[in-house]
């Protein structure tokens, strides 16, 4: 099973600042199968990025994904108030499907 | 636009069998997508339970495989989850979600989730 480790656990930032979230895999897999999600309290996760770097439909261009092999990054160029939430990475490169434990982006 | 809606009991007793259904609207369950269940214990992260194709081909998380069955009903355009021998550890919000091959097997559509509590 591929273990995804996200860091940091919590990121305290102000609106307008840049956020950089990390997702590290315990073993390499095809970067095509790495996705990022945003989850707000009481809501289902929402797909942000698929294929490591492609934005999902309707996702603003302040969100970007990068990485390959075992190291992946989600960058939010300028935080908007609605971006403060929990972010998860997920892989489908190797069964079983696994998720990272999440990074909470909170208002400083 | 495809939408998913979970339904099932909110409260269960230990040792029982959890049964949930996910209704697919706005599209066909026989499309080229896979259909999945994901759960989230209170205050914790996401856990993949398993997935199914409209042909009936399915894959399960090894950690739950002995207790899980996912099935599809094309005539009703829905898919279902059965989890046997439930315990308090199975208390969670259960989501159904679509896996999209076009998006490299990302979960592109989610239901709103249904909370299941296992308690005596």
């Amino acid at each position: 099973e591929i273990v995804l480790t996200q860091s940091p656990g919590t990121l305290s930032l102000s609106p307008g600042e840049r956020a950089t979230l990390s997702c590290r895999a315990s073993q390499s897999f095809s970067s095509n199968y790495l996705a990022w999600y945003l989850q707000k309290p009481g809501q289902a996760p929402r797909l942000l990025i698929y294929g490591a770097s492609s934005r999902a439909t309707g996702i603003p261009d302040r969100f970007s994904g990068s990485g390959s092999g075992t190291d992946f990054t989600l960058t939010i160029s300028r935080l908007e108030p609605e971006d403060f939430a929990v972010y998860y990475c997920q892989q489908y490169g190797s069964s079983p499907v696994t998720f990272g434990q999440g990074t909470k982006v909170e208002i400083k | 636009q495809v939408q998913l809606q979970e339904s099932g009991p909110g409260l269960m007793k230990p040792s029982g069998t959890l049964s949930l259904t996910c209704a697919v609207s706005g599209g066909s369950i026989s499309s080229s997508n896979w259909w999945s269940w994901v759960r989230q214990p209170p205050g914790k992260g996401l856990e993949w339970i398993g997935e199914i194709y409209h042909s009936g081909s399915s894959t399960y998380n090894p950690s739950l495989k002995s207790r899980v069955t996912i099935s599809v009903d094309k005539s009703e355009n829905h898919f279902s989850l059965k989890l046997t021998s439930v315990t308090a550890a199975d208390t969670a919000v259960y989501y159904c979600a679509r896996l999209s091959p076009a998006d490299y097997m990302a979960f592109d559509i989610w239901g709103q989730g249904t909370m299941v509590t296992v308690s005596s």
Side-chain angles (χ1 to χ4, degrees):
Chain A
E1 172 175 321
I2 294 178
V3 176
L4 299 177
T5 302
Q6 292 186 238
S7 61
T10 302
L11 200 50
S12 298
L13 295 168
S14 301
E17 289 194 295
R18 182 184 186 90
T20 303
L21 288 66
S22 173
C23 175
R24 178 163 292 177
S26 58
Q27 56 187 281
S28 181
F29 63 94
S30 170
S31 61
N32 288 342
Y33 297 103
L34 190 286
W36 289 92
Y37 303 83
L38 168 159
Q39 186 178 34
K40 297 181 181 180
Q43 295 185 17
R46 180 185 180 189
L47 177 64
L48 296 173
I49 300 288
Y50 65 91
S53 60
S54 297
R55 278 187 299 277
T57 303
I59 301 303
D61 60 8
R62 64 179 182 273
F63 290 93
S64 63
S66 62
S68 63
T70 59
D71 290 302
F72 300 89
T73 301
L74 175 69
T75 302
I76 311 170
S77 59
R78 296 173 311 280
L79 283 165
E80 297 288 341
E82 61 268 26
D83 300 337
F84 291 91
V86 179
Y87 291 80
Y88 294 96
C89 58
Q90 169 253 324
Q91 67 80 26
Y92 195 91
S94 174
S95 187
V97 173
T98 51
F99 292 86
Q101 83 280 15
T103 290
K104 182 179 181 180
V105 178
E106 64 177 23
I107 299 177
K108 186 175 181 180
Chain B
Q1 181 173 347
V2 173
Q3 293 184 313
L4 306 179
Q5 178 67 58
E6 305 90 347
S7 61
L11 180 64
M12 293 193 58
K13 293 192 183 302
S15 77
T17 296
L18 168 65
S19 295
L20 297 176
T21 295
C22 181
V24 180
S25 61
S28 173
I29 202 167
S30 297
S31 61
S32 301
N33 297 291
W34 287 70
W35 307 94
S36 187
W37 290 95
V38 176
R39 70 181 183 178
Q40 185 171 37
K44 296 189 177 180
L46 300 162
E47 179 182 33
W48 173 74
I49 298 171
E51 65 195 40
I52 193 165
Y53 196 61
H54 61 77
S55 64
S57 178
S58 58
T59 307
Y60 303 126
N61 191 323
S63 68
L64 298 168
K65 188 174 183 178
S66 63
R67 299 194 291 132
V68 171
T69 302
I70 298 176
S71 59
V72 64
D73 187 331
K74 289 185 282 187
S75 65
E76 295 290 333
N77 216 42
H78 71 218
F79 62 105
S80 301
L81 168 70
K82 287 192 187 302
L83 181 66
T84 62
S85 305
V86 297
T87 69
D90 295 310
T91 294
V93 175
Y94 285 75
Y95 295 102
C96 58
R98 187 178 82 169
L99 276 163
S100 171
D103 296 342
Y104 291 104
M105 300 305 278
F107 298 97
D108 67 334
I109 298 174
W110 295 70
Q112 65 184 24
T114 186
M115 180 69 202
V116 176
T117 301
V118 180
S119 175
S120 55

